[in-house]
Each structure stands twice: as C-alpha cells, then as structure tokens.
Amino acid sequence: MKRWILMTAWLVALGPATPGGAEEPAAKAPLTTAEVLAASQPSDWRPLAPENTLYVELPAGRVVIELAPAFAPLHVANVVTLAGERYFDGIPIVRSQDNYVVQWADPDGESPEKAKPLGSAKPRLQAELDRPAAGLPFTALPDGDVYAPEVGLSDGFPVGRDPARGRAWLTHCYGMVGAGRGEAADSGNGAELYVVVGHAPRHLDRNVTLLGRVVRGVELLSTLPRGTGPLGFYEEVAERLPLAGVRLASTVPASERTELEVLRTDTATFTAYVESRRFRRESWFLDPAGHVELCNVAIPARERKSAPENG
Amino acid sequence: MKRWILMTAWLVALGPATPGGAEEPAAKAPLTTAEVLAASQPSDWRPLAPENTLYVELPAGRVVIELAPAFAPLHVANVVTLAGERYFDGIPIVRSQDNYVVQWADPDGESPEKAKPLGSAKPRLQAELDRPAAGLPFTALPDGDVYAPEVGLSDGFPVGRDPARGRAWLTHCYGMVGAGRGEAADSGNGAELYVVVGHAPRHLDRNVTLLGRVVRGVELLSTLPRGTGPLGFYEEVAERLPLAGVRLASTVPASERTELEVLRTDTATFTAYVESRRFRRESWFLDPAGHVELCNVAIPARERKSAPENG
C-alpha cells in the first residue's frame, strides 16, 4: 500500500533514523526533517532530568511527563509532594472528552468528609498563569500566531510571549498538562491534572495553570473511551481507570526508569529542524507550506543513546 | 467535584440547552456560547442532505460524514460510487497514528492480482487541492491564520482563501476527511480515506484532497488503539478493524438514518456564535482570550428537532 499521508516529526524522531549518515552538521542546503535529525550531534539532545520527570503508570504502560517549574513552581512543588506521598496512586481518570482533555481527580474531592487527604500538599494555590519574560530561554518562531503576540520554544515547552507587557506563558498544545481549577483563580492545587488530547484549546492559555508536557505515552490517554456525560465525564464508576501509580523519576530505581532525551530548542540544529517543518522538502509534498504553527512543532524525543552512567 | 476546565462549544450544542428561553435573537450584549445557541432560531440550522452524507458503520457505532462536493467533486463522486457498490464494506482500518490520522484502505490495494476491484469507480483522480474563490460562500474569521492569507467558514467547512490568487481550499482541522495518495498528485481515488484525529496538520493543506468532515462519531475513530508500526500502521492483521459498511444516507431507509442539523455559518447567529468563541463570557474565564483560530470554531451539530417529514 503506497497511498499514505506523510509522517509527523515525532515518528521521524522515534523511528529508525539513517544510522551514522551525518557527514556534516546542519548543512546550508534545504534539508528534510529526517536529514536534520540524522545530522544532529549528541550535544543537540538534552536528557530529561529525573527530579523533573513524572511517571504516570497505567495498566497499559507509562506516561512520561516533563514538569515545568520555570513556569509553575508552586504547582510543580505541590505535584511533587503529592507524588512523593503517593497521593495519586489509585486516583481515577474521571473524564475523557473527545478533541479536548483527559483528566484525573478524586471523585470525592469536594467532600470534606470523603476527600482523600492531601497530606503535606497545599489545598489551594494561586494560579500561575504567566511569568516575567526576562531570563527565560526563548527561540522565537517566525510565522506568527492567532492568540499571542509572539510564540516560540523555551527548553522544549511551547510558549507565548508579550514583549509589551514583558510576560511569557505556556500554551495549550497537544500533550500539555495542566491543573484543573474551579471558579476561583486560586482553587486549583495540582491534585487534579488534565492532559490536552485534541486540537490545541488555546483559549485556555492564561486561564488555567499549565505545569508540564507529556514526552512519551500520550496515546495511552488519548485512546481512552470517551465519557458520555457532560464535559466527557464518565457516568459509571466502573468506567473510571485508576492510576496504578504516579512517581517522580528520581524516586524510581535507575533500572526502572525510562531514559529519554529531547531535542534541545536553543541550537542551530533546532533552527534547521524548524525550517524543515516550515518548508517540507520530502518528495511527497506538492506545496511545502512555508509556515509552521507553534503547536505543530513537535519536539523530537528518543531513547537515550548512552547509559545515564556515561552521560 | 467542581474543578473542571471548560466545556467545548460542541458539548454545549449537543447537551440540553435552555429550553424555550429565546426571547430575542442574538442580542447586542455579549453572550456566552450557550446563550447564543439557546437564542438560535430553527432557520439558523441546516439539515444534512442525505445525498451528501456518508455513514461509516463500525461495531461501536456510526460515523456521520458530510461530503464536500463544492471542493472535491471528482473525489466525492468516486466515493459515492464506491459506497453505492459496497466497495468499502469489509475494508479495514489499517492505520491509527496518535495526534494525526486514522485511515482505512485495502491492504492489497497496490497488488493488481489481489486488490479489491474498484468497480465503476475511477482508479486515479487528479488531486482537488483548491478551487476558485468566486462563487463560494465565505464567512471570514477576523483573527488571522498562520498558514493562509484568509480563513473562514463555507457552508460549515473550514476554508483558507487567497484573494491575490482568487483561490480557496479546505483545511486540515480535526475531523476533516481526506483521500490518501501516493507520490503522484493523481494517485488518489477516494478508496483510501483518512480522518484527522489530532492537532490540525495544516501543512497538509493543498497537498492532498479533502472531501468531507465528520459531523458525529469521530470519537469512534480517535479512540482506536494506535498502530505500533511506522506512521501508525497496524503491524498485525488482527489489529485491523473492518468497516461494517459505508453507505450514502440517501440509500438508507429513512427510519435508519441519523437526522442531524448543523448551525448555518452564514447567519447573524453564527457571527454571534463566533464572537462568543472569541470572547469567552463564561464566569470561569479570567482572560476572555479575544481571538479564535479557525480549527477551534467547532460547528455545532444536533439531532433534528422536527421529523424530516415536517422539515
């Protein structure tokens, strides 16, 4: 069967790349994405830091989330506390809304008598909706954005930026992880987390705290049966899938970790990668597009090639 | 549990709206999406035409696709021929790629001896990548786009438009349906169809023929297990889900049809609806956003309120 439509960068990155092949780094001639990645050097990749990586264990496998303390330090700290005290173990996925989000939460979270205790974690946190742009790594994308004055990547995270206000914020792209909240801005705490599994709901930007992104395993969430209640909530208790466990990678024995590295977003290789997404050079394309939108710049990730001991 | 993140227009439209409630159409005060839809009149809605609606039957239910002959007349005619001759019945879903597409195809389609015969349908069609903008209904969106000079809605379909060239084209939003092709521009024929089940892969616009969009049931496709082969192809034959049947609605007995209507996109109500998506008035929002991107304007659909006999 030869009628396909083209692969995403994600698969290019994870699939078997041309081994060796890199004669020169990022050449001047237009390159395909596969060529850019094949020519990348070890220094173009950044390992996920175990103290900043969350493992969400499901019966079908592991979801790997990179946390974003640069944007949501309070929420990340609370999530780390909750994970460390094993709060999330057994917490069920209560919601799966098509083209939107999957979310886990204590179904009794609003009942003072029945709610699972939060332990040392804080029950309410001020929303962390944006931060100063100053001091933040930022690789700007050149093609504009419908929602933000500027957009780009910051240490692998998709970011909006407003130079007039000097602020920057994480954006709701596919796979981003946020902390659900109620009506009050300070009613979230990280105990309920959602993952974007549809077209980027960018209208949520700066309305709710984002604190990380799924680097691997998002398909374990995106394929969950949709809830048939309003907002995709499951109507039957039996439909809820309990999380088998949520742990910070640094608390997991090294032999049980998923050692991943992601393409750095502050290198010449990343610039070449973005160009390869803006102008598609693969022979299948009739029109190379000439633009790329923030949430279409999937950040390549792969198994670490060297063992952590050697890294 | 009160910590949620907000509902999509889709659910607002399909859920129980405020009954009756419409005192005046689209008032001048800012309205929420729910208010706009509650105030809509029957004339704001357009039933799907049975001769232009495809039912894809899966074991778990029916996917309803509205065809787009205004954009892809050759491909739509071929798909109608194939459906009429029951070509698709038993054709399997061969590919499910996360955040990208689900696709069905004859796995032996490239083998002259083993391929399922196409019957009266044409084996190759010139790609239908764009069309003259003249004569096309077009409700422009005001917030720009990363890929196209202009974007808007045309009879419910998301469209890009280039006034300088006088051309218009369908865009790859979530739920859009296209015809896979190989390297040659004329190598598609509609026998292999894909459905977008992820963040809009807009770089595919004008590279491959789009011919319709899913109006209901996309979750039956988006939740299919992902294929583990390259590009999300299933590696085992047993993983492939055969389509139970694909029929044009007009060939299905009236009693077995799914009678849907969609919000017209050329009315004052639709303009108010778009404003309600640009500026979120629901009390949960801290920042109303103030913009909306083409693929975030989900077109509301609902069961027809009046029986077709009375419509």
Side-chain angles (χ1 to χ4, degrees), chain A residues 1-8 11 94-95 97-101 103 105-107 109-110 123 129 143-147 174 180-183 185 187-189 192 194 198-208 218-219 222-226 229-233 280 283-287 289 291-293 295-296, chain B residues 1-8 11 94-95 97-101 103 105-107 109-110 123 129 143-147 174 180-183 185 187-189 192 194 198-208 218-219 222-226 229-233 280 283-287 289 291-293 295-296:
Chain A
M1 168 174 23
K2 290 186 184 164
R3 291 189 195 94
W4 56 74
I5 63 171
L6 223 71
M7 63 184 77
T8 61
L11 259 163
V94 293
R95 177 186 189 191
Q97 182 172 349
D98 197 67
N99 193 20
Y100 204 45
V101 298
Q103 188 166 351
D106 177 4
E110 297 299 313
L129 305 177
D143 297 314
D145 185 69
V146 171
Y147 292 91
Y174 193 93
R181 68 163 176 85
E183 290 276 321
S187 58
N189 57 23
E192 299 196 15
Y194 64 90
H199 186 76
R202 295 284 308 281
H203 57 283
L204 297 176
D205 295 356
R206 293 188 299 189
N207 277 295
V208 58
V218 69
E219 73 280 2
S222 62
T223 56
L224 290 173
R226 304 313 183 206
L231 310 185
F233 280 94
R280 302 292 179 128
S283 61
W284 181 87
F285 279 87
L286 305 169
D287 178 337
H291 302 81
V292 71
E293 186 243 322
C295 294
N296 271 327
Chain B
M1 169 175 22
K2 288 185 182 165
R3 293 188 194 95
W4 56 72
I5 62 169
L6 223 72
M7 64 182 76
T8 62
L11 259 163
V94 292
R95 177 186 188 190
Q97 182 171 350
D98 197 66
N99 192 21
Y100 204 47
V101 299
Q103 187 166 348
D106 177 2
E110 297 301 312
L129 303 178
D143 296 314
D145 184 69
V146 171
Y147 291 91
Y174 193 94
R181 69 163 174 85
E183 289 276 324
S187 58
N189 57 25
E192 299 194 18
Y194 64 90
H199 185 76
R202 295 283 307 281
H203 58 283
L204 297 176
D205 295 356
R206 292 189 297 189
N207 276 296
V208 58
V218 70
E219 73 279 4
S222 62
T223 57
L224 290 174
R226 304 311 183 209
L231 311 183
F233 280 95
R280 303 292 180 127
S283 60
W284 180 88
F285 279 87
L286 305 169
D287 177 336
H291 303 82
V292 72
E293 186 244 320
C295 294
N296 271 327

Side-chain angles (χ1 to χ4, degrees), chain B residues 4-54:
Chain B
W4 56 72
I5 62 169
L6 223 72
M7 64 182 76
T8 62
W10 197 256
L11 259 163
V12 174
L14 296 180
T18 311
E23 295 170 20
E24 292 187 326
K28 293 189 180 73
L31 297 177
T32 65
T33 297
E35 290 167 341
V36 170
L37 294 176
S40 69
Q41 301 299 308
S43 59
D44 289 319
W45 298 80
R46 167 178 69 79
L48 294 189
E51 64 276 15
N52 208 23
T53 302
L54 204 64

Side-chain angles (χ1 to χ4, degrees), chain A residues 7 11-23 31-41 45 302 305:
Chain A
M7 63 184 77
L11 259 163
V12 174
L14 296 181
T18 310
E23 295 169 21
L31 296 178
T32 65
T33 297
E35 289 166 342
V36 170
L37 295 176
S40 69
Q41 300 299 309
W45 299 80
R302 64 184 187 187
K305 290 189 175 174

